[in-house]
Every structure is written in C-alpha cells, then in structure tokens.
C-alpha cells in the first residue's frame, strides 16, 4: 500500500493498541498479563486520556474530565491487583445540592441518604430505598452481560433469539414483579420514573443528575432512565454512590493500570500519534505514526471512538458502504464543557456545614427537573443554556498534593453545551460560558469568583481536539437505547470486532459503554484473548 | 330479569367490534353507551345545520381488513373513500406534495432534493418491511416474558421464528423501537419539510416531541395503515367516521347484539372476585356472565370497579399508566375552499388546485418547528404555533357540507391536558382555537374571510364528552413502556383482568389506539378461546 510519507519499519508486535486512556490501558494490561506482546500508542505526552491528571496552572493539577473512580468495576481492580499499594483511594464526602432559590441541601455521606431524606419526607425515604433496591437487583442481574462480551447470536437468528432469551432468563430471575418492571423501566424517561415515586423536587433532581450525566437526553427523553442504571451500578452501591478520588488525581489510577501493563511486558509509547491503520487485502497489518514510522502488528486495537477509527484512521477502501453508513449514523453528541479552576481559598456554599468534610464530595447545581430540561432545550437548538447544570468537586480538600498549601482546585462538569452552535462560534463563546459557569457557582458560594486564580474552559470542540473524541463526546457513542448492547457501536458489531480482519475496538464506544467503568477494555481483551 | 352472556361497556368502535364477534359466536350481548349515539370517538355529528363533522377521529388507516370481511361491513353501509396524498405547505410560498402515486412523488421530491428522492424509495421499502415484521405482533395477543406456560412459550417461539425470517430487519426494528422519529428520518433525508412531516407522524397522540426517543415507533404505528389495504388505505368513510360506527352497529345487531344508548354505567358488579353485571346510573342492574369494558383502564378500575376488589399493587400499576393527552381538534365550517398561498403559482398557471386539497395537509415545516411546539406543551401551555394535520372531508364526500361549502377537520398538537399556572381549559379553549386559526391563516390568507363556524375541542373536552381520560386519544400513551405485554399492565395485556369475568377490549389494551379495531377483535377471540 502506498503512503504519501516515507516510512520506516521499526518493529513487529502482536498487538498495537491506539490510545492510552482507561480502556486502552485496561485492554493492554489484560493482554500483557495473558502473555501477548503489546505496544500502546498515545498521542499525548502522558497516559490517562479523559481519566488523566492535567496541569491547571503551575502547582495546580486536576482531573482531565472524569474525576473519580467509583464506577471502575471491582473485577478489574481485583484482576489487575490495583490494590492500596499502587493507589490511594480517597472516599469523598457527601453531596451539596444547590437549587435555583439559592438554597443548598447537604447529604452527608456518613449516614444513609434515605435516613436523611426521611427528615423531610417519609414517603420519599421509602421510595428512595425501594428504587435503590430495585436498581441493585437489576444491576446484579445484568452483571454477567456487562463484564464479559455479549453472547454471540450466530448467523441463525433463532440462536440470536435464544441468546437474548438467555439474558432474559437472568432478568427473569428477578421475579414476577421486578422483571416486567425492569423491562418497563429501561425505556422510560427519568422524569416519569421519579414523578411516579417522589414528592421532593430536590431529591428528583439529585437522582436525575446521575441519570443524565454525559448524555444528550433531557429528563423527559425516553431512555434516560437507563442512564440511572448505568451510573448507579451495584458495585458503586447504587443511589448511595459516593465519589472515590485517587491521591494525586485520577491519572494516578490510570498510571497504576499502565504500570501493571508495563510490568507484564507491555510497552507504552507517548507522543506517538497514529496517522493511519494499515490494511492489506482486508487484513489489518499495523499502523503508521504521524512521524512516518510504521509499526507492524498482527492485531490493532483502537481505544478511540468508532467514527474516528473508521472515518479518519482506516481508509474507506476496505469497508463496505453499508458499514460506513452505519458508522456515519452513530450519534456522538458533545454535551459537556469541563471547567477547571485554581482557587486561592476554599469556597463556602451557603447553608452547608462549615469546614472541609461537607465540601469534599460532589456539588450539584440544578435543583429541579425543569432546570435540566430547560438546559437541554437550549442545547438541542444549538444555543448555550442560560443555566447549565453543574456537577463539581474540590478533590484538593482531601488530597493536598493537588494544589499548594491552603489553595484548591475545582473541577466542574457542565451540561448541556452543544458541539455546534447556531449563529455563534465556540471561539467567541468559550469564555462566555466559562464566565457564566463561574457566576452560577458564585451565586451559591459567594466570593468564589474573586478567588479564581486560573481557569481552563474546555468546550466540546476543545475536548474533540485534545482527546480525539468525535464531537467531544466523552462517552464516544451516546448512551441511548438504540446504541446499547447488541447495537453498540453499530447494530450487529457488538463483539469488539470490525469488518477488517485483525482490527478491534476497545473504547467507551463499545459494549457496555463509557463513564469510567473500564468494562469495554476488559470485555474487548477477553474477546481478543479468546480469538488468538 | 334477562341475564346476558356478555355486557359490553361503551359503543366505540372496539366495543362494537368485540360485541359483534361475541354475538356472531352465539353469545347474547348487550352494549351500553353513555351518549345518545354510537361510535365513541368515531362519530359524525351535525354540530351546525348542514355541516357534518367527524368530531374526533377523522381518518381510517389502521383498521384491520379482516374485520371488514368477518363482520361484512360493506353490507351495512361501510364505504371507504380514498384520500390522495399529503401536502406540507411552507410560508416561503413553496410546498412539498407527496402523492399516492410513487412516480409523482418522486418527481416532486426531485424538485426539493434528488438525494431525498432517491432515499424515499429506500425508506418506503424499509418501513414496509418493518411494518410487515411487526404486523403479526399486532394481530395476536402479546406474549408475556414471565409466563412459562406451554401456550405462552409456544407463542414466543412462533414470534422468534417469524423474526428469524426477517433477520435483516431485526436491528432496524430495534432501532425503530428505541429511536426518536427525528433521528430516524434524519438518517435518510435532508429536506426540512420532509423531515418535519415524516417525524411529526411519530408524535401524534403522544406527549413526546419528534426528538424524544420512542417516537419512531409511533411513526411505524401510523405507517402500518399505508400497507394494509393494498390500495389507498388512508381513507375517509362515506358519511364521516360515523359511517364506520353505523356499519359496526348494524353488523353487531345483525348478529343479535343489542345496543342501548344513553345508558351510562355507574358500577361494575363484582361478587367473590367475579364480575356478574353492571349498574346503570339511576340504579338499574343488568346481570351478565361476563363484562367487557371498552373504556380506558383508569375509568374501568378507578371509577367502575370498587377498590376493595382490587389489590393495591394492581391499582398502583393502573395509576402509573400514563394518559396525559396532548392533542386537540378544531372543526371548521367554511363558506368556500381555502386558498393556500403556496398554491398561488399553480392558480396563476390556471391549473386546478383541487387535487392538492383532496388529501391531508400537514403544517410541519421542519423538525424544529414541531419540537418547539412540544416545548410549549412540556411547560404546560398549548403550542403557540402548533403542528396541524388537516383534511377537508367535503372534498372527498360532498354530503358532509351544503353545496359549495366545506368542512375542515384540524387535528392539533400540542394541547396538554394539564395547563400551567392554574389555567383551565374552559377558560383557554377559545384562545387555543385562536392559535390554531392564526397559525393556519399564515398559510391560508383567506381563512378568516370564509370561516362560518368553529368547534374547538380541548383534551379536557375529549375527557368530558367522550370519556377519554386526560383526553388521551389512544386510551394511554403509546410509549415503549406501555406497549405489548405492558399494556395496560403486566399481567393484564391478555384482555383478562384481576376480576374474573371482567375483560378489557379498548385501545388501552394491546396493540393500542388508532381506529384499528384490533383490541376489540383480539379481546373477543381471547374471551371465546377461554370458553367464557
């Protein structure tokens, strides 16, 4: 195959993995531990991707995008022996929930949330316990379908139906009442789920925020209930999920995965930007780096999103138009803007207990379902919401290594901000949305604005540029019902394979999807090991 | 006192179909109707002298062809007159016309986008195959995912085998069930008005916008009618929708069923967990071996059956079944034909405009237009610029209006049942009518000059006059969590209820609403199969 740039063939490996984010590293670690020779190619100068640690200003570091690790599946921690001697896990505090009326509620992480809810509504406390129990049951029933590749329906659709029935069987064990309820629940809107059960608007908002995280769905969009299940799995204790930070930032966790991989023989190459995946006669033969260096590999595993992989790295010549059409139809919506702040003092949120503990967990701005819906309304027409919903954390409260003494860093995840703006360009809008977000925070924590020493705003196009994410979609492929399970990333290609022999996918865009679980990487590795 | 084999509550089309089938099988059947005329929401009424309105439902499309032959409806006066095409006018002076003739439509689409003209055939074929794949599920009771009875398992196996034959469409079907109609049509088309009009059919009767996931299925539900009767299956019964009701009543009577109007039911009589008759308002009791309710599930179980006969869990399911009507109807008497400004160039060329007015007219210029109409409704207001689906029945059947004059039927969305800020429909009704007239006047400048009478029907009126809970025209939303084995509740999707001898046969049961007749027919079949 002819290349425009001259190439040098450096070496031949078993497996080349593109991208050293969480899933690329998890795949690499499993493959290396299984004895494969692996090289990981990362375009940035450090590993971690969206679960990395980045510098905000000299002396200040913070999370790239995902700030905590409680959604990483415990099997991965166990298999890769990522125990305390490698990482320092720090359990965050409770939740501060700020409503529009500038009132803040505080849920302590030491006590049960339901008990605290009971102080203002017995009905809601009961509903909270019931919903949580239900989510835990369903999540456990689905565990086998999330931690290993989905059963393969062969060319015969009857066996496909059989495999679906098998998954149905594990759901069926939920029982006569919970099983139909699970099937009813999944396609519902989170608003309906919550309106059916709860009285308190603030409590509904607290749960909805979890369901909508990273999505391109409003609370009234069908399928948003699935997001709740996705983000409140049994291993994170369902609705009682609290943030688990890592000493040194989330990058310390991905560093630990990288260390496991390299100790098992994998090689990690930084500043190695893959320019092209090489294909010969329908078979993947390696990659070419931007530098022109060619790396031959029997298998290539892309941790990048499917659109980047197939629209930018492989040529269309080896893919049939139907497949490319499906890839083009994938909805990857940027919806998140990340703001990182360096603060010269600890903010104080009105109406919450004084001191560090109360502020060491999550801070949610957006206290009603309508608040979320209106933020989504603006975004769906390509405009910036007046009031985006914010999910923030100040991990430096419990981890002084992130900032100089008595200084802090704040990580803010803002939704919904569309990738494409109508009648405006992001270059002009970036600082505008940054100002808006800081002002909103300042309303609830007076004085915060004045304490900002440094600020980074990364909009969806920035995230696209920095992490190679199509449209800046942190989940690679939207978490929507038509893009999950057997439909992820595209219908029929749920087994980490691709139409190109020897080319695999292992990123957040494949089953069971992103959010920092590491499960796509684990499942992909399992499948690749089985195939070779 | 005479004891009937079955008493059917409500003489809507489903009630009468069920009654006719039961009578045909030899049961003695009595149908009781609250109003002074039969038909339910399938009626023709002469509200203003000489002008006959199909007050609620206005076209037949999904009606099961086998019902027509089983009940020999043509012998009782049923005649379907064809509607030809759909015109979507634009304020720019242009329009999009889709004719019944595929060649004509293609020619017209070429004017807008050659790409769309190309894709239209592909889209049509896909929808045809998907409708064919779903159709068997609409003509049998829904199987249950929890029951292990041999009959149910056999049923599941048959459906799986059926899908096996249509494997290539399985994933498309899964997408259709879960996607938004906007996303679905955007995969195929680029012309905004084509996108708008196609996706709008996915929101009819639901509280969803075209961008709400799940709306694509409703689009298929509506598409179904286009394939069924081979020839122009969207049609208008001679004499209006009441023409169908009269034919059904005639057929039912011909098999020996009795129909009593002005007989509102006060209560369903239950003894030892078994229904044994009904009480008519005023106290008259009627004994029957079984009771079949064609009114919606909430009316049936929250108004007609005493709660002591029902378990709390079941009632909770009934309470959670979502209605929230979203549509209204405006019927007009016109002194002359409306002059659509978009047909000006045709008038200037001296060509007849009649053919453009003999089908449906849809005010749905883009997806965003319809979505914005939905946004109004989400927050408890009727749409300022609503989506309108219009026909001029007098163009098709001149007997509907005095010579030279016309009637116009306007289906309007959105009109939320629950209004915000304490507003009530009796107060808002005329303002809602004004919004409809103002919207349509933008497309039909002479509308206000030719307007003789108007009848405005809000969702509240649909509830008051026609007994549709919360004004939902489908007896409960057609959302994925309320379809198939979940309609209306898990355990009652097979037309039987927790009360022995009490069955349901209305649109609130599988497979749902539209003037389809399937629930009535399937319920009768189940009742007879059970030997009741």
């Amino acid at each position: 195959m002819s290349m425009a740039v001259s190439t040098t063939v450096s070496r031949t490996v078993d497996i080349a993995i593109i991208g050293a984010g969480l899933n690329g590293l998890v795949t690499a670690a499993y493959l290396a531990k299984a004895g494969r020779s692996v090289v990981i190619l990362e375009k940035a100068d450090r590993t971690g991707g969206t679960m990395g640690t980045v510098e905000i200003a000299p002396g200040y570091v913070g999370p790239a995008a995902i700030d905590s690790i409680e959604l990483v599946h415990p099997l991965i921690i166990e298999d890769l022996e990522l125990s305390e001697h490698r990482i320092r896990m720090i359990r965050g505090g409770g939740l501060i929930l700020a409503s529009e009326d500038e009132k803040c509620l505080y849920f302590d992480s030491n006590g049960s949330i339901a008990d605290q809810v009971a102080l203002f509504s017995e009905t809601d406390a009961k509903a909270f316990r019931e919903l949580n129990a239900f989510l835990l049951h369903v999540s456990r029933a689905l565990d086998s379908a999330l931690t290993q590749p989905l059963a393969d329906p062969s060319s015969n659709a009857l066996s496909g139906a059989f495999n679906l029935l098998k998954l149905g069987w594990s759901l069926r064990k939920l029982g006569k009442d919970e099983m139909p309820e699970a099937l009813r629940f999944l396609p519902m809107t989170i608003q309906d789920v919550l309106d059916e059960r709860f009285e308190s608007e603030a409590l509904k908002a607290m749960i909805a925020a979890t369901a909508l995280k990273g999505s391109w769905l409003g609370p009234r969009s069908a399928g948003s209930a699935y997001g709740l299940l996705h983000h409140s799995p049994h291993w994170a204790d369902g609705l009682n999920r609290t943030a688990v930070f890592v000493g040194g930032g989330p990058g310390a966790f991905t560093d630990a995965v990288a260390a496991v991989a390299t100790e098992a023989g994998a090689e990690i190459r930084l500043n190695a930007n893959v320019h092209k995946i090489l294909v010969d006669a329908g078979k993947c033969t390696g990659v070419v780096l931007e530098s022109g260096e060619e790396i031959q590999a029997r298998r290539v595993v892309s941790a990048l999103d499917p659109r980047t992989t197939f629209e930018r790295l492989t040529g269309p010549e080896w893919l049939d138009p139907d497949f490319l059409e499906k890839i083009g139809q994938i909805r990857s919506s940027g919806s998140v803007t990340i703001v990182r702040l360096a603060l010269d003092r600890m903010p104080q949120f009105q109406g919450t207990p004084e001191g560090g503990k109360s502020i060491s967990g999550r801070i949610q701005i957006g206290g009603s379902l309508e608040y979320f819906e209106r933020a989504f309304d603006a975004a769906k027409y390509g405009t910036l919401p007046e009031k985006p919903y914010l999910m923030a954390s100040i991990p430096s409260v419990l981890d002084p290594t992130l900032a100089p003494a008595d200084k802090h860093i704040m990580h803010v995840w803002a939704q919904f901000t569309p990738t494409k703006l109508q009648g405006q360009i992001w270059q002009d809008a970036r600082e505008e949305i940054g100002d808006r977000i800081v002002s909103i925070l300042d309303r609830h924590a007076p004085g915060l604005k004045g304490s900002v020493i440094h600020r980074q705003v990364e909009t969806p196009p920035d995230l696209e540029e920095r992490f190679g994410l199509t449209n800046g979609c942190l989940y690679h492929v939207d978490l929507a019902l038509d893009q999950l399970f057997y439909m992820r990333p595209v219908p029929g290609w749920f087994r980490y394979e691709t139409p190109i022999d020897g080319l695999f996918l292992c990123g957040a865009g494949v089953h069971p999807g992103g959010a920092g679980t590491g499960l796509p990487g684990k499942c992909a590795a399992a499948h690749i090991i089985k195939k070779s | 006192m005479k004891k009937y084999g079955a008493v059917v509550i409500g003489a809507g089309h489903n009630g009468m179909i069920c009654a006719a089938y039961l009578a045909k099988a030899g049961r003695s059947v009595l149908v009781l109707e609250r109003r002074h005329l039969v038909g339910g929401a399938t009626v023709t009424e002469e509200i203003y002298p000489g002008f006959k309105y199909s007050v609620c439902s206005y076209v037949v499309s999904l009606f099961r062809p086998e019902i027509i032959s089983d009940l020999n409806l043509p012998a009782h006066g049923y005649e379907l007159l064809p509607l030809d095409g759909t015109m979507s006018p634009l304020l720019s002076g242009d329009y999009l016309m889709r004719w019944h003739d595929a060649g004509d439509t293609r020619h017209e689409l070429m004017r807008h986008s050659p790409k769309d003209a190309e894709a239209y055939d592909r889209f049509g074929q896909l929808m045809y195959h998907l409708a064919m794949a779903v159709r068997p599920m609409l003509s049998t009771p829904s199987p249950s995912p929890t029951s292990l009875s041999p009959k149910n398992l056999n049923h599941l196996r048959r459906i799986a085998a059926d899908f096996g034959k249509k494997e290539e469409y399985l994933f498309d079907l899964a997408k259709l069930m879960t996607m938004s109609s906007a996303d679905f049509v955007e995969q195929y088309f680029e012309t905004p008005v084509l996108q708008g009009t196609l996706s709008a059919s996915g929101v009819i009767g639901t509280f969803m916008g075209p961008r709400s996931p799940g709306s694509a299925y409703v689009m298929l539900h509506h598409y179904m009618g286009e394939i069924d009767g081979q020839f122009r299956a969207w049609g208008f019964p001679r004499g209006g929708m009441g023409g169908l009701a009269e034919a059904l009543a005639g057929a039912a009577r011909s098999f020996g069923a009795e129909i009593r109007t002005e007989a509102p039911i006060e209560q369903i009589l239950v003894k030892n967990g078994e229904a044994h008759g009904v009480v008519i308002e005023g106290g008259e009791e009627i004994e029957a071996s079984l009771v079949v309710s064609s009114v919606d599930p909430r009316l049936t179980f929250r108004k007609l059956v005493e709660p002591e006969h029902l378990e709390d869990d079941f009632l909770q399911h009934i309470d959670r079944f979502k209605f929230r009507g979203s549509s209204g109807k405006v019927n007009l008497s016109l002194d002359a034909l409306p002059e659509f400004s978009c047909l000006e160039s045709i008038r200037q060329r001296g060509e007849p405009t009649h053919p453009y007015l003999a089908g449906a007219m849809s005010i749905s210029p883009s997806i965003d237009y319809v979505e914005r109409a939905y946004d109004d409704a989400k927050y408890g207001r009727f749409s300022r610029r609503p989506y309108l689906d219009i026909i001029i029945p007098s163009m098709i059947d001149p007997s509907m209006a005095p010579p030279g004059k016309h009637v116009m039927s306007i289906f309007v969305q959105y009109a939320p049942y629950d209004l915000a800020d304490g507003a009530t429909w009796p107060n808002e009704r005329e303002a809602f009518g004004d919004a409809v007239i103002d919207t349509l006047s933008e497309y039909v400048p002479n509308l206000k000059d030719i307007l003789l009478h108007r009848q405005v029907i809000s969702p509240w009126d649909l509830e008051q006059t026609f007994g549709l809970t919360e004004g939902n025209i489908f007896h409960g939303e057609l959302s994925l969590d309320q379809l198939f084995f979940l309609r209306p509740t898990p355990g009652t999707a097979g037309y039987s209820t927790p009360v022995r001898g009490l069955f349901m046969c209305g649109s609130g049961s599988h497979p749902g609403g539209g003037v389809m007749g399937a629930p009535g027919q399937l319920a009768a079949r189940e009742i007879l199969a059970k030997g009741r």
Side-chain angles (χ1 to χ4, degrees):
Chain A
M1 133 163 236
S2 66
M3 293 291 306
V5 284
S6 68
T7 60
T8 52
V9 178
S10 64
R11 54 177 296 197
T12 301
V13 292
D14 244 3
I15 298 168
I17 295 174
I18 306 171
L22 173 66
N23 285 305
L25 291 169
V26 166
T27 307
Y30 273 98
L31 291 175
K33 278 173 80 84
R36 306 299 191 277
S37 89
V38 177
V39 61
I40 309 158
L41 305 163
E42 168 58 47
K43 80 164 178 175
D45 59 2
R46 60 186 310 158
T47 59
T50 59
M51 204 195 248
T53 303
V54 298
E55 183 177 70
I56 301 169
Y60 296 85
V61 294
I66 293 173
D67 62 351
S68 61
I69 61 154
E70 70 276 10
L71 289 186
V72 175
H73 198 281
L75 270 179
I76 294 171
I77 309 254
E78 189 185 315
D79 290 347
L80 302 182
E81 295 167 79
L82 296 165
S83 51
E84 288 296 324
H85 74 274
R86 286 193 190 271
I87 47 173
R88 190 161 57 88
M89 296 200 203
I90 304 170
R91 209 172 171 74
L95 175 86
I96 292 172
L97 173 60
S99 307
E100 276 220 82
D101 54 12
E102 287 163 35
K103 260 194 290 193
C104 288
L105 285 174
Y106 176 66
F107 294 94
D108 195 324
S109 63
N110 291 329
S112 120
I113 292 180
D115 287 349
Q116 297 172 66
V117 170
L119 298 178
F120 55 86
S121 164
E122 278 293 346
T123 318
D124 281 2
K126 182 167 171 281
F128 188 90
R129 288 191 190 96
E130 283 172 0
L131 178 61
N132 196 37
F134 170 74
L135 287 171
L136 293 177
H137 292 166
V138 176
S139 168
R140 284 196 193 100
L142 284 173
D143 198 64
S144 71
L146 303 179
T147 53
Q148 51 194 1
L150 289 169
D152 183 13
S154 68
S155 58
N156 180 340
L158 248 184
S159 82
F162 174 75
N163 277 298
L164 282 172
L165 284 176
K166 236 173 63 179
L167 178 60
W169 179 252
S170 73
L171 280 172
R172 194 185 175 276
K173 280 191 290 190
L174 286 170
K176 207 170 125 285
D177 293 331
E178 272 192 338
M179 193 260 184
E181 183 57 22
L183 292 174
R184 187 176 90 94
F185 177 90
L186 292 178
M188 280 178 82
T189 72
I190 190 65
Q191 169 135 12
D192 287 337
V193 166
L194 299 172
D195 282 349
E196 278 181 359
R197 293 169 170 83
F198 297 99
E199 299 170 339
S200 150
E201 200 55 40
L203 189 61
K204 289 184 203 174
M206 176 178 118
I207 300 172
T210 306
L212 299 173
K213 195 161 187 222
S215 78
W216 187 251
L217 298 168
R220 289 176 186 267
S221 305
S224 49
Y226 171 79
L228 186 61
L229 191 64
H230 193 95
H231 291 104
S232 319
H234 67 92
W235 61 87
D237 205 14
L239 296 177
N240 290 315
R241 168 185 171 188
T242 40
V244 175
F245 301 112
V246 182
F253 181 80
T254 38
D255 283 347
V257 181
V260 171
T262 47
E263 282 163 29
E267 183 194 348
I268 298 175
R269 288 187 52 186
L270 302 174
N271 304 306
N273 193 8
V274 173
H275 171 70
K276 198 97 187 139
I277 294 170
L278 296 173
V279 185
D280 188 28
K283 195 175 171 353
C284 187
T285 58
V287 298
V288 182
L289 303 184
E290 219 170 40
S291 63
E293 181 188 347
E294 182 176 326
I295 297 169
Q296 293 188 341
R298 272 190 288 277
R299 291 182 180 77
V300 173
V301 187
S302 171
L304 307 184
D305 71 80
R307 291 187 67 166
T308 303
T309 305
F310 294 107
E311 290 175 351
R312 291 206 1 238
L313 297 184
T314 63
E317 59 269 32
W318 302 111
L319 295 166
D320 83 85
D322 274 0
F323 180 80
L324 274 177
E325 188 185 19
K326 282 183 191 164
I327 293 289
Q329 286 172 348
I330 292 174
R331 279 172 290 115
S332 301
S333 312
S335 63
V336 180
T337 288
I338 300 284
V339 179
R340 305 185 197 99
L341 303 174
L343 304 175
D344 77 350
R345 59 179 179 275
M346 175 111 81
Q348 171 67 40
F349 280 79
Q350 286 178 336
T352 63
E354 289 270 353
K357 184 68 182 156
S358 73
I359 211 162
S360 67
R362 296 208 182 281
I363 300 153
Q364 173 182 340
I365 316 276
S368 71
L369 294 175
E370 186 170 330
Y371 187 99
F372 295 120
E373 189 70 32
R374 289 198 185 271
F376 182 58
D377 278 354
K380 74 183 174 186
Y381 302 110
T383 54
L384 290 172
E386 275 306 309
K387 294 172 185 163
Y389 104 78
L390 309 179
M391 191 61 85
S393 59
I394 311 175
S396 53
V397 175
L398 298 177
D399 180 5
T401 69
L402 302 175
D406 298 324
K407 314 279 185 207
H408 289 279
I409 62 119
M410 188 171 198
H411 183 72
V412 188
W413 172 294
Q415 258 174 276
F416 296 84
T417 57
T419 309
K420 287 193 187 66
L421 295 176
Q422 293 286 332
Q424 200 179 10
I425 57 167
W426 262 117
Q427 258 171 321
D428 301 337
R430 183 188 296 117
E431 297 311 318
E432 180 188 326
I433 192 75
D435 290 345
R436 204 175 290 175
I437 288 166
V438 170
S439 296
I440 292 171
L441 289 168
D442 188 72
R443 259 208 306 282
H444 299 283
L448 182 140
K449 198 182 216 163
S451 71
V452 176
I453 306 166
H454 194 82
R455 170 174 105 183
Q456 281 176 352
V457 182
E458 287 187 359
T459 67
D462 298 327
L463 295 169
E464 172 161 24
E465 173 67 27
R466 181 168 191 147
F467 299 109
L469 300 163
T470 296
N471 294 333
C473 176
L474 288 165
Y475 288 16
H476 290 200
V477 172
D478 290 357
L479 285 184
L481 286 181
D482 59 305
Q483 300 190 146
L484 288 170
F485 291 92
Y486 288 86
M487 319 273 282
R488 192 172 185 88
V490 294
W493 294 94
F494 51 88
R495 294 277 284 185
Y496 315 99
E497 294 180 27
T498 72
I500 295 170
D501 194 16
L503 175 62
F504 297 83
L505 298 175
C506 73
V510 294
H511 176 77
T517 62
L519 288 171
K522 179 189 184 299
C523 294
H527 184 69
I528 294 164
I529 290 167
K530 209 176 111 192
K531 290 280 285 189
S532 55
Chain B
M1 194 176 76
K2 177 171 178 181
K3 181 174 175 175
Y4 288 89
V7 57
V8 176
I9 301 172
H13 68 281
N14 279 311
M16 291 194 289
I17 288 166
C18 187
Y21 274 99
L22 292 177
K24 194 181 173 191
R27 303 293 194 281
S28 65
V29 181
L30 173 66
V31 185
L32 296 168
E33 167 58 41
R34 184 174 59 108
R35 294 191 72 205
H36 63 280
L37 78 173
V38 298
T42 310
V43 286
T44 306
E45 293 185 65
E46 193 171 325
I47 303 289
Y48 302 100
F51 294 94
K52 294 174 191 159
Y53 295 155
S54 289
V55 179
C56 300
S57 63
Y58 54 102
V59 285
V60 167
S61 74
L62 308 164
F63 201 70
R64 314 300 301 164
E66 66 265 29
I67 299 174
I68 297 175
S69 52
D70 286 351
L71 302 183
N72 198 13
L73 295 183
H76 298 282
Y78 178 64
E79 186 188 350
L80 196 65
L81 306 169
L83 282 160
D84 192 359
T86 301
M87 177 174 77
S88 310
L90 292 168
L91 290 177
S92 67
D94 200 355
Y95 58 85
L96 174 77
M97 186 73 208
R98 290 180 298 135
W99 300 99
H100 177 69
D101 182 273
D104 290 348
T105 301
R106 190 182 166 80
H107 188 73
E108 162 74 0
L109 283 171
M110 286 295 284
R111 221 166 52 78
H112 294 270
S113 156
K115 181 175 162 279
D116 284 3
E118 211 59 55
Y120 196 72
D121 287 342
R122 230 160 37 102
F123 180 79
Q125 276 176 21
L126 177 69
M127 292 302 270
Y128 172 81
H129 287 291
L130 293 178
M132 292 301 273
V134 171
R135 198 158 66 148
M137 289 168 81
L138 299 188
S139 47
T140 54
S142 179
S144 152
T146 48
S147 163
L148 291 180
S149 79
K151 186 181 163 216
N152 186 59
L153 286 178
N154 197 35
H155 192 159
L156 278 171
R157 189 190 58 75
R158 270 205 319 274
I159 285 182
D162 214 35
F163 272 111
K165 290 182 215 137
K166 296 156 192 138
E167 190 196 353
E168 53 183 310
Y169 300 109
L170 197 59
F171 283 119
D172 286 315
L173 187 62
K175 281 169 84 168
L176 196 82
M177 298 293 291
T178 49
M179 282 176 86
S180 74
S181 60
D183 285 333
F184 197 78
V185 304
E186 276 175 343
Q187 292 181 60
Y188 292 89
F189 307 112
E190 60 184 16
T191 308
V193 61
L194 181 60
Q195 292 177 339
T197 305
L198 286 174
S199 64
S201 69
V203 302
I204 289 176
T206 74
F207 206 91
M208 291 191 271
R211 296 206 181 276
S212 307
S215 50
Y217 174 75
V218 181
M219 188 168 71
L220 181 70
H221 197 89
H222 282 269
Y223 218 90
M224 213 81 75
E226 305 208 4
I227 59 142
D228 240 356
Q230 303 294 326
F231 181 70
R232 293 182 181 179
W234 279 103
F236 183 81
R238 186 176 293 285
M241 294 304 283
L244 172 60
E246 291 299 334
L248 286 169
R253 288 193 181 105
S254 76
F255 297 121
E258 292 172 43
I259 302 175
R260 256 177 76 179
T261 53
E262 295 177 275
I265 307 293
E266 191 174 285
Q267 198 188 330
I268 295 171
L269 293 167
V270 181
K271 201 160 126 192
N272 303 325
E274 180 156 8
H276 64 94
V278 295
V279 184
I280 296 176
E281 268 175 36
E284 183 189 346
E285 289 192 12
I286 291 173
E287 288 286 314
S289 308
L290 58 98
V291 177
V292 190
S293 170
S294 75
V295 301
D296 67 58
R298 190 177 300 169
L299 269 186
T300 306
F301 293 105
R302 274 304 188 189
K303 186 153 172 269
L304 300 181
V305 176
E306 294 287 318
E308 72 223 41
H309 304 298
L310 300 165
E311 288 184 17
D312 287 349
D313 271 3
F314 176 74
L315 285 174
Q316 189 184 46
H317 277 296
I318 293 293
D319 292 344
R320 285 182 175 180
F321 192 65
K322 296 186 295 291
F323 288 87
R324 51 185 176 202
S326 58
S327 39
K329 187 83 191 292
V330 174
N331 297 309
L332 304 181
S333 303
L334 302 177
D335 203 23
L337 269 180
E339 287 180 6
F340 279 83
S341 55
C342 69
L343 298 177
E344 191 52 41
S345 60
I346 292 168
R347 277 191 289 273
Q348 278 174 4
R349 288 202 300 271
E351 291 170 23
T353 56
H354 280 61
Y356 294 82
L357 305 178
M361 285 137 276
S362 177
I363 305 294
S364 47
S366 67
I367 291 170
D368 278 0
Y369 176 94
V370 184
E371 184 71 19
R372 286 187 196 278
Y374 168 61
D375 284 348
D376 281 338
K378 275 197 307 201
Y379 304 111
R381 294 185 306 267
F382 57 79
S383 311
R384 303 296 141 168
R385 282 292 172 270
Y387 158 59
L388 307 177
D389 189 46
I390 304 164
I391 64 169
I392 306 173
S394 48
M395 290 287 292
I396 306 151
D397 179 355
S399 75
M400 301 298 285
K405 307 206 186 296
H406 287 279
V407 286
M408 182 184 257
S409 156
I410 309 173
F411 172 85
V412 191
Q413 215 156 311
Y414 296 80
Y417 176 79
D418 284 314
L419 293 171
D421 305 326
T424 64
W425 272 111
N427 288 333
E428 293 293 314
R429 188 192 294 113
E430 294 312 314
F432 168 62
D434 291 344
V436 172
I437 298 294
D438 290 345
T439 301
L440 187 56
S441 294
E442 293 182 348
Y443 299 85
V444 182
N446 75 335
L447 182 69
K448 286 176 183 169
D449 305 331
I450 58 173
L451 183 57
L452 299 174
H453 313 287
R454 80 176 192 193
Q455 178 193 30
V456 182
I457 301 168
S458 72
W460 182 83
D461 299 306
L462 289 172
E463 182 177 70
Q464 294 296 308
T465 310
F466 300 94
L468 297 167
T469 294
E470 294 184 14
N472 186 296
I473 62 173
F474 292 147
H475 289 203
E477 266 197 289
L478 291 182
S479 53
L480 205 45
D481 54 313
Q482 303 200 144
L483 287 172
F484 304 107
F485 71 95
L486 295 167
R487 192 169 186 89
T489 73
T492 62
Y495 313 99
S496 58
T497 72
V499 177
R500 272 176 292 128
L502 173 61
F503 292 82
M504 286 180 285
C505 73
S507 293
S509 294
H510 173 78
V515 186
M516 173 158 52
Q521 181 198 20
L522 293 174
R525 202 191 288 166
E526 280 299 292
I527 291 165
L528 295 169
K530 284 197 157 76
R532 295 287 316 205

